[in-house]
Amino acid sequence: MGDISGVADLAFFDGTLYALEGGAGCSHGDSLPNGLYSVNTKTRSWKLVADLSHFVQTHMVKYPNPPDFEPDGTFYGMVEFHNRLYAVEPNHGQIVSIDKNGSMASVMDVSASQAHIVPTAITAHDGQLYLGDLNQFPIEPNYARILTLGYAECSQVAAPGLDDTDAQHSLHILSSKAGFTTVVGTAFGPDGLLYVLELSDAAGYPTPGAAKVVRVKVDGDIEDVAGGLVVPTAMTFGPDGRLYVSNFGAAPPGAGQIVRIDIP
């Protein structure tokens, strides 16, 4: 449809820069696969570490969405956790863990319990993972959520057919909080609170200027932090304690910018 997409996320792992491809593979018209690539910042060379296109095609999720199916996937978010990199694939709905040698494992089939919620942003904090979802279009405000994920097993045995068949190696949903809209970024601030980047909080389809950053207060309320953004796609806190947002991230080439936000 004329979109241009390439590297979806970056992460430093044991001193090496890794890039997560989201727009590669044959289904995107690219001979290179979607994958995890290591980048040598001194020589500017790079190499494929893990072929994620092949992985998602050989590790199908429980409930793929036929009208919205992308054979190579559309990887989006990535974070280092438990000495591995955890990459989120929104289109199929799964989380893949990868070690620095390229060994891959599916650690969560999001579709199996949540259906096609389009998981996007992932962050780690205090030994747990937090996963946000875009949800489907047309946009329904407040229907996206943040899922708290962990490896802790449930204390009670589920009814027949409702248990996790691979509990030992799978992430579990420990809690879920709704009230968000089109989540595309998550980050914990210096204040210990969770900040969430929303692509557009207006009903219908993405609306320029309707994107914003919100945070979850200690009492659970969700409050606005900054608004007026235009289809942003990612954010992170810098060492200065300020928030940096990729604004115009889903816009035509040349429009992108980095916005610095002072947190009140």
Side-chain angles (χ1 to χ4, degrees), residues 176-203:
S176 176
K177 181 175 179 61
F180 305 94
T181 307
T182 58
V183 177
V184 289
T186 52
F188 279 86
D191 52 12
L193 300 179
L194 176 64
Y195 288 72
V196 177
L197 178 65
E198 299 182 339
L199 179 75
S200 177
D201 73 343

Side-chain angles (χ1 to χ4, degrees), residues 21-156:
E21 272 277 15
C26 290
S27 61
H28 294 107
D30 191 347
S31 60
L32 293 174
N34 263 341
L36 181 70
Y37 292 80
S38 63
V39 181
N40 187 318
T41 56
K42 295 181 180 179
T43 65
R44 300 185 181 183
S45 61
W46 50 268
K47 66 178 182 179
L48 178 65
V49 175
D51 186 337
L52 291 168
S53 285
H54 181 264
F55 185 86
V56 297
Q57 290 164 13
T58 55
H59 296 76
M60 189 56 61
V61 295
K62 184 74 170 177
Y63 300 115
N65 187 276
D68 186 28
F69 185 75
E70 184 65 59
D72 287 279
T74 54
F75 285 86
Y76 195 87
M78 178 172 64
V79 68
E80 188 274 328
F81 183 67
H82 285 182
N83 205 36
R84 293 176 70 93
L85 290 170
Y86 283 62
V88 180
E89 201 293 296
N91 182 262
H92 295 209
Q94 70 174 312
I95 302 174
V96 180
S97 75
I98 315 158
D99 70 11
K100 56 187 176 182
N101 296 317
S103 173
M104 294 172 279
S106 180
V107 292
M108 186 174 188
D109 180 348
V110 180
S111 80
S113 63
Q114 305 298 307
H116 191 49
I117 64 169
V118 195
T120 48
I122 190 168
T123 191
H125 184 69
D126 286 346
Q128 293 180 161
L129 291 170
Y130 296 83
L131 179 68
D133 70 284
L134 180 73
N135 223 333
Q136 299 183 52
F137 291 165
I139 297 167
E140 294 184 84
N142 305 320
Y143 270 73
R145 70 204 82 168
I146 298 293
L147 304 175
T148 303
L149 311 179
Y151 282 103
E153 295 191 31
C154 300
S155 58
Q156 296 181 342

